[in-house]
Amino acid sequence: MSRIAQKFEALKQDGRRALIPYITAGDPAPWVTVPLMHALVKSGADVLELGVPFSDPMADGPVIQRAAERALKHHVSLAQVLALVREFRDKDNLTPVVLMGYLNPIEAMGYTRFATEAADAGVDGVLTVDLPPEEAEALQSALKPRHLDTIFLLSPTSPAGRIKLIARAASGFIYYVSLRGVTGAANLDVREVTAKLKEIRAHTKLPLGVGFGIGSPEAAAEVAAVADAVIVGSAVVRRMEEMAANPDKILNEVPAFIARLREAMDRATLTPTSATGASR
C-alpha cells in the first residue's frame, strides 16, 4: 500500500479529512522549501503538494505563476525539486509528497529516469496538469512499477464518460477542480461540489480531493464536510508572496494559517469524542 493510500486509510479510521497544502518548490528561495514542508506537517498537513516550477503554467492563476517565476530566478529545476524531496525524507518518511507540474520537464528528463529518481527521492504521486489520461500510458508504465500514484484532474464540466476514464486511470486520489477557470479564482459553490462528488463516487472508490477557491477556514470546513481532502494552493502561496522579502516570517505565519484550516476542518467533521481523541 502506498503512503498516499495508507494516509487516507488512517484518516478514514479517525473520521478525519486530509488537508493538502500546495507550495511551489524554491519559492521564494530554495532554502525555505524543506523547513516549510516540515512546519506544514507539524501544523496539520496530511499530504504535501509540491509544485515543480515551470515557465508557462497555463492552469495556474497569477499568484502561482509568480511563485514559479520567483523559483525560476533561483534556477530551480526538476532535479533540484527531487533533491528537496530527498532532503525532506531525511526527517519525515511518513508524509506523502505529490509533485504537481507540467509534462515538459519530465519529458526532458525522460520517463524512466524521472520515475526512478522520483521514487528514490521519496515522491509518492505525480499530477501532470497538461497530460490527459488518453496520452498518459507511457508515463504511467514508468511510474506504476515504482509504486508512484498518477493523479488526474476532474472539473465541473467533466462529462460522465470522462469521469469513468479518469476513474480507471487514476490512483492515489482524484483531484476535483471545484471552479471553472485557473487557480486562485473565487465563488466556490459547495452545493455544486457536493453534487459533482456524488456523481464521481458512483465510478470510483478512490478518495476525492477538492481544490481551487478554498481560501479560508470557513471554506475549508465546508469542503471537508463533503470531500475526502481539502487542497489549498493560492491562499497559501499568496501569503508567501506577501512575505517573500522576509522568508523567516513565512516559516511562522504560513503554518499558522494551515493550523487554522486544520482546526476548522476537524470542528466540521469530528464528533466531540473523536475530536478529543484526535487532539491527543
Side-chain angles (χ1 to χ4, degrees), residues 84-166:
L84 292 171
V85 176
R86 188 174 291 108
E87 182 182 346
F88 173 75
R89 287 287 176 230
D90 288 342
K91 295 182 179 179
D92 187 330
N93 197 39
L94 297 175
T95 304
V97 175
V98 173
L99 296 189
M100 181 173 183
Y102 295 82
L103 187 60
N104 185 272
I106 297 174
E107 285 194 328
M109 181 175 284
Y111 290 170
T112 301
R113 179 187 166 197
F114 167 72
T116 300
E117 294 192 11
D120 289 346
V123 173
D124 300 287
V126 179
L127 197 171
T128 310
V129 178
D130 54 346
L131 181 66
E134 296 92 338
E135 301 173 14
E137 183 178 354
L139 179 58
Q140 286 187 291
S141 295
L143 296 177
K144 189 173 181 180
R146 293 161 180 85
H147 308 291
L148 293 167
D149 287 319
T150 311
I151 296 154
F152 289 102
L153 300 166
L154 285 171
S155 75
T157 58
S158 296
R162 184 128 195 104
I163 293 172
K164 292 178 183 178
L165 176 63
I166 287 179

Side-chain angles (χ1 to χ4, degrees), residues 20 27 40 43 47 52 62 67 105-106 109-110 123 127 147 195 210 228 241 254:
I20 308 178
D27 174 38
L40 294 174
S43 296
V47 179
V52 179
I106 297 174
M109 181 175 284
V123 173
L127 197 171
H147 308 291
V210 174
D228 301 299
E241 181 175 42
V254 171

Side-chain angles (χ1 to χ4, degrees), residues 45-60:
D46 300 294
V47 179
L48 298 175
E49 190 175 35
L50 192 60
V52 179
F54 186 58
S55 57
D56 188 23
M58 61 185 181
D60 295 305

Side-chain angles (χ1 to χ4, degrees), residues 154-156 176-180 187-201 208-214 219 222-230:
L154 285 171
S155 75
Y176 177 68
V177 177
S178 60
L179 303 173
R180 298 168 178 83
N187 303 318
L188 176 67
D189 185 338
V190 177
R191 289 175 298 180
E192 183 179 48
V193 170
T194 302
K196 196 68 176 184
L197 293 185
K198 182 178 180 181
E199 181 183 356
I200 297 168
R201 283 195 174 102
L208 304 182
V210 174
F212 287 44
I214 303 169
E222 284 188 288
V223 172
V226 298
D228 301 299
V230 174

